[in-house]
Amino acid sequence: MRAIVVGAGIGGLAAALSLRRTGCEVTLVEQAPRFTEIGAGIQLAPNATRVLRRLGLLDAVAARATRPSRLSFRTWSDGGEICHYALGREAEGAFGGPYLQVHRADLHQAMAAAVPPESVRLNTVVVGIGQDDKSARVTTVGGEHLEADLVVAADGVRSSARQWLFGVDEALFSGTAAYRALLPAGEVAGLGLPEYAIWLGPGRHFVHYWVRRGELLNVVGVIGTQAAQESWTARAEPGEHLRAFDGWDPRVRDILGRTGTVLRHGIHTRAPLARWNIGRVTLLGDSAHAMVPFQAQGAAQALVDAAVLGDCLVGAAPSDVPDALDRYVSRRLAAATKVQASSARAGEDYHLPDGPEARARNARLVAQAAENEFGPHAGAWGIDAFDEQQASQDAVTAAVERPGDDGGARPKPV
């Protein structure tokens, strides 16, 4: 079996590694000329770390990560704790994998190191995807045609492959933007910060946690706004982030006041699809289900996609690929779409105005802490993507149909 994976982000690397575990020959195609350290903190809940263990990467990632013991929800104005939830050993014991907080570059580096260099084609821009009954192919900007038995498009929230497969479908601005920064531990010493906290306020929220074994504090301030550029490298205007959190608890202001470079990232999503695959081509990760990050599940869902994709292709022959991709989508689409929706609701809940709505939200959080020590984010952590009964239920929910025999719905060669 031969596969081409388009995009070498977290989802694409996970797909390449998962497919290689099945014995598949993989070519990983990435438009960037080199792998660089981009992004900041990322959270890996137990459903993500169970996949990393399956891929043989958990120890390498955990060695560079931080393991928080708890999550604290706080009020915006005075920092009073609303409630807290257990992580640490309790979550690992309950869900079979640790909860890790890691620099995205450290995760990416560990994954990239596990892919043989000869399987990676950097500086290669894909301009089209095509297929017939026997093979799939990608066309590069230089006019080269790369052929395989299947193509996995993991080309991110701005996925071109998604449009080639299903027509014009732009990324959707979520109405929120994130200020992001990393601070050395020495810069925030003495502030008395909780190790991992989410501060809730009208129209915005603030998150901080440690990465790189506690060497760096990852800071994210999310605001509601009418427009923002979707970019991991765009810088905020000087003082903009401080003005956005004017009047907040002094600790939040102190953190923001000590930041150096602050990036401003417009948060975009994709509308749910009725299917992710056509014939021998499928979407994976953000190209299929980009979501707001308010349940810290974007990377986790891409990792689970990759693991299930590999599982569905175990023992498959090239002629079995369309059926195998149908099984992959039927096992993943409903679950990922559910997480998309719940993440969006979490963001709305975080930004409620002061008054009766915020008080009711706080009461819900306290009640959840009493009923479930792991809190509102844990709904997806224990779902076993390899439970066949669950997969069967997802298949009914997703109702994925095969393309017609006339091939009219299939992408055309470029």
Side-chain angles (χ1 to χ4, degrees):
M1 185 81 74
R2 296 169 301 147
I4 297 169
V5 177
V6 181
I10 291 169
L13 285 167
L17 292 168
S18 186
L19 290 170
R20 281 178 51 81
R21 280 171 44 88
T22 72
C24 194
E25 178 186 318
V26 179
T27 300
L28 182 60
V29 178
E30 166 57 42
Q31 65 180 355
R34 68 186 69 86
F35 291 142
T36 58
E37 184 168 308
I38 192 169
I42 189 169
Q43 303 196 61
L44 299 172
N47 58 333
T49 57
R50 291 197 304 269
V51 173
L52 292 177
R53 179 184 291 123
R54 185 182 179 94
L55 296 176
L57 295 173
L58 181 57
D59 289 346
V61 174
R64 296 284 287 164
T66 302
R67 299 182 183 227
S69 63
R70 55 189 267 174
L71 161 63
S72 175
F73 277 94
R74 303 264 169 159
T75 57
W76 71 277
S77 55
D78 62 7
E81 184 173 78
I82 301 167
C83 63
H84 64 266
Y85 300 100
L87 297 173
R89 293 176 181 173
E90 296 92 340
E92 184 168 4
F95 297 102
Y99 194 106
L100 301 180
Q101 293 169 328
V102 62
H103 195 297
R104 181 181 290 267
D106 294 340
L107 173 62
H108 193 271
Q109 182 180 18
M111 298 178 74
V115 180
E118 62 270 19
S119 297
V120 182
R121 292 189 45 148
L122 297 172
N123 203 28
T124 302
V125 178
V126 173
V127 295
I129 296 175
Q131 64 177 304
D132 55 35
D133 289 338
K134 295 183 179 180
S135 65
R137 68 195 66 85
V138 303
T139 301
T140 72
V141 70
E144 187 178 7
H145 299 284
L146 308 177
E147 190 170 286
D149 299 302
L150 71 151
V151 171
V152 180
D155 53 340
V157 65
R158 295 288 184 184
S159 172
S160 297
R162 177 168 167 142
Q163 298 207 29
W164 298 329
L165 287 173
F166 300 113
V168 176
D169 172 23
E170 298 293 340
L172 305 173
F173 178 54
S174 69
T176 58
Y179 297 105
R180 301 180 183 272
L182 289 165
L183 288 85
E187 294 290 328
V188 292
L191 293 184
L193 300 176
E195 61 178 332
Y196 171 26
I198 302 177
W199 309 61
L200 307 181
R204 59 208 65 216
H205 71 278
F206 185 79
V207 184
H208 60 76
Y209 56 84
W210 297 97
V211 299
R212 285 196 176 151
R213 302 183 301 272
E215 297 172 8
L216 296 172
L217 184 70
N218 184 69
V219 174
V220 184
V222 179
I223 63 168
T225 185
Q226 294 184 346
Q229 180 183 0
E230 198 278 310
S231 168
W232 284 101
T233 57
R235 295 192 178 192
E237 295 294 326
E240 178 185 351
H241 56 299
L242 273 169
R243 293 190 294 273
F245 288 87
D246 186 35
W248 278 53
D249 182 276
R251 285 170 290 181
V252 171
R253 301 276 300 165
D254 281 344
I255 294 170
L256 291 173
R258 300 178 190 202
T259 55
T261 299
V262 177
L263 304 181
R264 190 176 192 268
H265 170 68
I267 300 171
H268 287 66
T269 66
R270 299 307 293 252
L273 289 169
R275 63 183 304 152
W276 301 341
N277 64 310
I278 294 178
R280 296 176 173 274
V281 183
T282 190
L283 305 177
L284 182 145
D286 280 353
S287 66
H289 49 68
M291 60 189 70
V292 292
F294 306 142
Q295 285 190 311
Q297 275 292 304
Q301 293 299 304
L303 286 164
V304 176
D305 286 352
V308 173
L309 175 65
D311 192 55
C312 289
L313 284 161
V314 171
S319 60
D320 300 328
V321 165
D323 288 329
L325 296 185
D326 279 352
R327 291 194 298 274
Y328 152 66
V329 174
S330 71
R331 285 170 55 176
R332 285 296 302 139
L333 188 146
T337 301
K338 183 177 179 180
V339 175
Q340 265 188 310
S342 61
S343 295
R345 288 194 299 271
E348 294 169 0
D349 214 33
Y350 289 175
H351 291 192
L352 291 173
D354 283 342
E357 290 179 286
R359 288 195 294 272
R361 174 205 60 212
N362 294 352
R364 287 196 302 272
L365 290 171
V366 171
Q368 287 171 336
E371 295 172 4
N372 176 357
E373 65 177 322
F374 304 111
H377 294 174
W381 299 357
I383 295 175
D384 186 353
F386 305 100
D387 183 307
E388 289 303 321
Q389 182 178 2
Q390 179 65 47
S392 177
Q393 293 170 356
D394 289 349
V396 172
T397 304
V400 176
E401 298 178 356
R402 288 287 304 279
D405 291 338
D406 63 3
R410 294 177 179 170
K412 301 297 190 291
V414 174

